[in-house]
Amino acid sequence: MITSPESHADKLPSLSLEEKASLTSGADFWTTKPVPGAGVPPMLLTDGPHGVRRQAEGNDHVGLNASVPATCFPPAAGLGSTWDPELLARVGQALGAEARAGGVSVLLGPGINIKRSPLGGRNFEYLSEDPVLTGELGAALVAGIQSQGVGASLKHFAVNNQENDRLRVSADVDARPLREVYLRGFQKVVTAAQPWTVMCSYNRINGVYASEDAWLLTDVLRGEWGFTGLVVSDWGAVNDRVKGLAAGLDLEMPSSGGVTDAQIVEAVKDGTLDEAVLDTAAARVLQLADRTAEAREAAEDGGAVYDADAHHALALEAARRSIVLLKNEDGFLPLDPDAAGRVAVIGEYARTPRYQGGGSSLVNPTRLENALDAIRALASAEVVFAPGYTPGQDAPEEALIAEAIEAARGAERVVLFLGSELESEGYDRTGIALPAAHRDLLDAVLDANPNTVVVLSNGGVVQTAGWDHRVPAVLEGWLLGQAGGPATAEVLFGLANPSGRLAETVPARLQDTPAYLDFPGELSRVRYGEGLFVGYRYYDSREMEVSYPFGHGLSYTTFAHAGLQTTATADGGVRLSVEVANTGDRAGHEIVQAYTSLPGSAFTRPRRELKGFAAVHLEPGQTKTVQIDLARQDLSVWHAGLGRWILEGGDYLLEVGASSRDIRQSATVRVDGDDLTQPLTTGSTLLEWLAHPAGGPAITAVLEKAAAEGNQRAQLLIDPEGRSLIGSFPLTRLAAFPGSPLTPDALEGLLRQVSR
Ligand code: BGC
């Protein structure tokens, strides 16, 4: 933060009540209000997560009006599959540089909500179904963006996992999944990267609007995590401005036309709002003006420019790394670019790429390259094309399918582009099956020529069960941004080695998904009934069949893992190291994934949970030692009774491998936990007393003495079978039984002994 004499933060005392209130809401759709007399500048905030959407005219927040051209990087569904924080930091830097060049002070992203259901309409804008992966990648994006003097806006805080009724729905979620799944990613990004702004979501959480949830915006975000930035509302998320301000919502966007500013002034004047609360919010706006001053000045001086070619090249690199090779029977891929036989490229998405989703994240790309042209440029043989379907049309079109059959019949190899229809902010998906037109085309093409590789373009997962057994190879291409076409062609022909790994499970059926019975809720409430068991946490715990597991992704080379070793870290976490060798003949990336579980835990736990990972690049024959730290915080569980994180001590099972279902090595690691000994009371059970270091001997002595004196109830309480029958009774209840050895005097004596 700039603390020079010109610092905007210093101007707070000189501002009037009205000026301070005016600072806390927008001037229009995208800018904050200036205070001209005091020299406080307006700040420009624009979307979004995978490209800068700066609108020159015709403002809206749902992607309807065009914006100034900007590099369209792969949306988060693609970026999440790279599992590579270093790459995402570079994408973040590029996003920050473009924002900076456009005079943008805050870029409204990244979006890091958990993909609770594959039906979530904005899943393409989110990174993963796992909070650790989400948090590490989100932190890298934030650090990259902010390295350019531009603020990130971590969104949508919090528990915004569906579009249905998104402005009112209450996400009703228990304390543990709330902390361990839905907030953990936010916690990681805030503590690791300190975003300059956090955007509160539209929805309610356990009945309270995020925009006026003091627990969320102040107690947790600032009190527990140490957030020092500003909270901005999602566009139109404010329900009650004065209540929101008091809860910790600093800036309302977009403009309320001055209406809510007046409410704030009124509330201060009539004493219902402490002026100090307004001062705090206004100070945070001024602090943001300070933090972003240098970038604004650079843009005004014309000194902030970016290299569009270099950013396109980075978009290409990110797209290559986002592609996941789901299946590759008998080395069907890569295709030989020099093979003589004709190639048939089928599917309109090869010519008209489906490269991003709809809504506020919609970017106007600086250029757009399709896969068809790139395939033509790479293959020496003749390439024929048939569109096969019309995007946006579900019903199969006979003439297009007939043309595709012709093309497939005359070809040596077929590359078939299929995918989902438009996915967008604002509404959820209704299913995960391919559109009927794509399914029929697939069947017809496979009947004509089984030498077919399928390339998928989709934001949320699509079902592959029911058809992928018929094809030798499947590439999951997600939405790949403006350079997705050449990236796909390079992977198809082996110029690039696919290294993406699934950041979300591909389930066999929609009916198998954990939130299936609880999505999207009713009467503006949605119950998160699956609790902790989101994504692979559910499938692995239930040992269910899935089409492709979390973390899965093939390569054109092979990797061997060996030599798992563990040591303790200074913070009480675990450091592991693994030797990874590239045993094939191509360079490539391996993603090493570390999962833990605690057999015999006193807490409900998923079968395994990702706690760390690393991306490593290896030349053929090369071996590297990969080191991964599992943070103590990540190993902790939320103790709902104590209302805090605790680390349960014990022998953890550490599983290290290449997907949640491809564990290559495991080890047992002793972790020292927190002291969880609860003070004993007469309400504690007999078993709790017996397990306690002081209570156990004390109560045993009482019972043994009484038993020796012939007390039958005491004998029962000593007998192992008797204990298993009534050991769960609190002492007060046992004391109430006729003839109990636990007389009031005995209880008093016991309490005295354990309180010493
Ligand atoms: C979206 C946000 C976006 C904002 C501004 C809202 O509709 O939920 O993600 O940043 O609009 O466009």
Side-chain angles (χ1 to χ4, degrees):
M1 188 177 117
I2 297 170
T3 47
S4 65
E6 306 84 68
S7 160
H8 299 302
D10 292 345
K11 295 170 181 163
L12 186 70
S14 67
L15 301 182
S16 68
L17 174 62
E18 287 72 15
E19 285 171 332
K20 286 186 287 193
S22 81
L23 276 178
T24 69
S25 73
D28 53 29
F29 234 90
W30 302 116
T31 49
T32 59
K33 290 203 215 70
V35 185
V40 178
M43 287 180 278
L44 177 61
L45 294 72
T46 68
D47 286 300
H50 61 269
V52 178
R53 193 171 76 93
R54 188 164 59 84
Q55 291 183 309
E57 54 194 44
N59 293 332
D60 71 274
H61 66 117
V62 282
L64 297 178
N65 290 293
S67 51
V68 173
T71 309
C72 180
F73 291 95
L79 292 180
S81 309
T82 69
W83 290 60
D84 191 345
E86 185 276 330
L87 174 62
L88 265 65
R90 284 191 285 128
V91 170
Q93 276 165 24
L95 289 166
E98 295 194 21
R100 179 182 170 92
V104 174
S105 293
V106 176
L107 193 67
L108 302 176
I112 64 154
N113 295 90
I114 292 293
K115 303 189 202 213
R116 174 179 178 242
S117 161
L119 297 181
R122 291 183 93 170
N123 279 9
F124 71 92
E125 281 190 67
Y126 301 141
L127 292 161
S128 175
E129 67 189 22
D130 180 86
V132 170
L133 180 57
T134 291
E136 300 286 331
L137 297 180
L141 281 165
V142 169
I145 293 168
Q146 295 192 165
S147 71
Q148 303 302 304
V150 170
S153 197
L154 191 66
K155 68 188 188 183
H156 305 90
F157 191 54
V159 208
N160 180 187
N161 312 98
Q162 66 184 54
E163 294 302 280
N164 189 291
D165 203 13
R166 67 175 165 153
L167 274 91
R168 297 182 307 189
V169 74
S170 173
D172 293 341
V173 55
D174 292 341
R176 277 195 66 200
L178 179 59
R179 294 290 192 149
E180 295 180 31
V181 178
Y182 296 99
L183 295 184
R184 186 166 240 151
F186 285 97
Q187 177 172 3
K188 286 180 87 67
V189 180
V190 168
T191 51
Q194 269 299 349
W196 293 350
T197 81
V198 164
M199 183 191 291
C200 78
S201 57
Y202 287 129
N203 53 289
R204 293 178 292 149
I205 301 158
N206 293 328
V208 183
Y209 280 104
S211 63
E212 53 197 47
D213 190 338
W215 170 81
L216 183 75
L217 302 184
T218 298
D219 300 352
V220 173
L221 180 63
R222 295 181 189 281
E224 291 182 27
W225 303 347
F227 177 62
T228 61
L230 164 149
V231 177
V232 57
S233 71
D234 196 347
W235 268 231
V238 169
N239 175 57
D240 178 325
R241 180 66 190 114
V242 175
K243 222 170 157 183
L245 192 79
L249 171 61
D250 306 302
L251 174 64
E252 173 181 14
M253 286 300 289
S255 161
S256 72
V259 173
T260 54
D261 298 354
Q263 289 168 359
I264 291 171
V265 170
E266 190 55 36
V268 171
K269 284 187 174 156
D270 71 17
T272 47
L273 181 73
D274 186 348
E275 189 166 354
V277 172
L278 174 61
D279 286 353
T280 302
R284 290 178 186 145
V285 177
L286 295 174
Q287 174 191 246
L288 183 65
D290 281 331
R291 285 175 156 171
T292 53
E294 185 274 327
R296 250 187 330 276
E297 280 156 25
E300 276 161 23
D301 298 348
V305 283
Y306 72 93
D307 181 343
D309 289 339
H311 286 190
H312 183 74
L314 179 60
L316 174 61
E317 181 187 348
R320 277 188 210 118
R321 298 284 310 279
S322 300
I323 296 171
V324 183
L325 177 59
L326 292 179
K327 172 175 182 180
N328 193 21
E329 234 166 52
D330 303 325
F332 186 84
L333 289 179
L335 304 175
D336 179 0
D338 301 320
R342 183 191 284 171
V343 179
V345 174
I346 298 174
E348 186 59 53
Y349 287 158
R351 180 169 64 179
T352 310
R354 170 141 159 55
Y355 64 104
Q356 63 175 332
S360 63
S361 68
L362 196 80
V363 174
N364 179 10
T366 57
R367 68 182 89 153
L368 183 57
E369 293 175 325
N370 69 32
L372 179 58
D373 291 344
I375 291 172
R376 287 203 160 120
L378 284 181
S380 346
E382 184 194 0
V383 175
V384 295
F385 172 71
Y389 51 83
T390 308
Q393 195 157 308
D394 191 57
E397 293 164 272
E398 268 176 39
L400 292 183
I401 292 181
E403 189 192 340
I405 292 171
E406 268 313 298
R409 274 202 190 119
E412 194 71 37
R413 296 155 298 169
V414 179
V415 185
L416 178 57
F417 285 77
L418 304 172
S420 57
E421 289 302 352
L422 180 70
E423 288 156 74
S424 174
E425 171 180 345
Y427 52 88
D428 293 315
R429 300 163 77 200
T430 52
I432 60 170
L434 289 171
H438 296 219
R439 270 307 302 264
D440 282 14
L441 175 68
L442 173 70
D443 289 340
V445 167
L446 288 177
D447 288 346
N449 190 338
N451 281 335
T452 296
V453 45
V454 169
V455 179
L456 293 171
S457 305
N458 50 293
V461 286
V462 294
Q463 186 172 22
T464 58
W467 59 261
D468 61 348
H469 63 282
R470 293 190 66 198
V471 294
V474 184
L475 277 186
E476 174 52 91
W478 301 115
L479 307 177
L480 293 174
Q482 67 182 46
T488 305
E490 287 176 19
V491 167
L492 284 168
F493 288 99
L495 276 74
N497 189 355
S499 63
R501 301 288 188 268
L502 290 175
E504 59 191 297
T505 311
V506 181
R509 309 181 308 160
L510 177 63
Q511 291 89 330
D512 294 345
T513 60
Y516 182 67
L517 298 175
D518 274 327
F519 186 98
E522 63 201 10
L523 304 177
S524 294
R525 297 204 87 109
V526 53
R527 173 95 199 115
Y528 283 38
E530 69 285 0
L532 296 167
F533 297 93
V534 178
Y536 70 93
R537 286 172 163 73
Y538 178 77
Y539 305 116
D540 284 2
S541 300
R542 301 203 62 183
E543 297 182 6
M544 282 171 77
E545 284 291 319
V546 299
S547 289
Y548 298 99
F550 177 77
H552 168 79
L554 303 173
S555 167
Y556 296 152
T557 189
T558 46
F559 300 101
H561 297 208
L564 173 62
Q565 290 189 348
T566 60
T567 50
T569 59
D571 81 333
V574 176
R575 170 162 301 164
L576 65 93
S577 71
V578 182
E579 305 285 315
V580 185
N582 182 344
T583 49
D585 56 7
R586 282 165 189 268
H589 285 87
E590 170 67 314
I591 312 289
V592 182
Q593 305 163 32
Y595 299 87
T596 65
S597 60
L598 179 58
S601 169
F603 294 82
T604 302
R605 289 181 189 254
R607 170 63 188 82
R608 63 176 61 87
E609 297 182 278
L610 183 79
K611 297 297 173 188
F613 62 92
V616 55
H617 183 264
L618 292 163
E619 294 297 325
Q622 192 182 10
T623 300
K624 280 186 189 165
T625 304
V626 176
Q627 196 169 289
I628 301 174
D629 283 352
L630 313 184
R632 192 179 168 85
Q633 212 303 311
D634 289 336
L635 293 172
S636 300
V637 296
W638 182 258
H639 192 302
L642 298 175
R644 63 175 167 87
W645 291 102
I646 60 108
L647 181 62
E648 189 184 10
D651 291 328
Y652 282 72
L653 175 62
L654 172 64
E655 298 179 299
V656 181
S659 87
S660 87
R661 299 267 173 111
D662 182 6
I663 302 302
R664 305 282 180 84
Q665 300 180 89
S666 61
T668 298
V669 193
R670 174 106 211 137
V671 174
D672 291 333
D674 297 325
D675 181 9
L676 288 179
T677 322
Q678 300 269 4
L680 288 176
T681 67
T682 52
S684 305
T685 66
L686 175 60
L687 290 179
E688 285 165 356
W689 273 82
L690 289 167
H692 191 273
I699 198 162
T700 304
V702 170
L703 296 178
E704 279 177 355
K705 181 162 179 279
E709 288 163 2
N711 183 303
Q712 285 185 1
R713 300 227 49 103
Q715 283 159 4
L716 179 69
L717 294 176
I718 285 169
D719 174 53
E721 203 186 329
R723 270 185 192 172
S724 57
L725 285 172
I726 50 176
S728 62
F729 272 58
L731 295 200
T732 45
R733 302 296 182 88
L734 291 174
F737 284 121
S740 174
L742 299 169
T743 58
D745 279 356
L747 289 185
E748 217 174 280
L750 283 171
L751 282 180
R752 254 199 321 274
Q753 290 189 54
V754 293
S755 63
R756 267 188 217 138

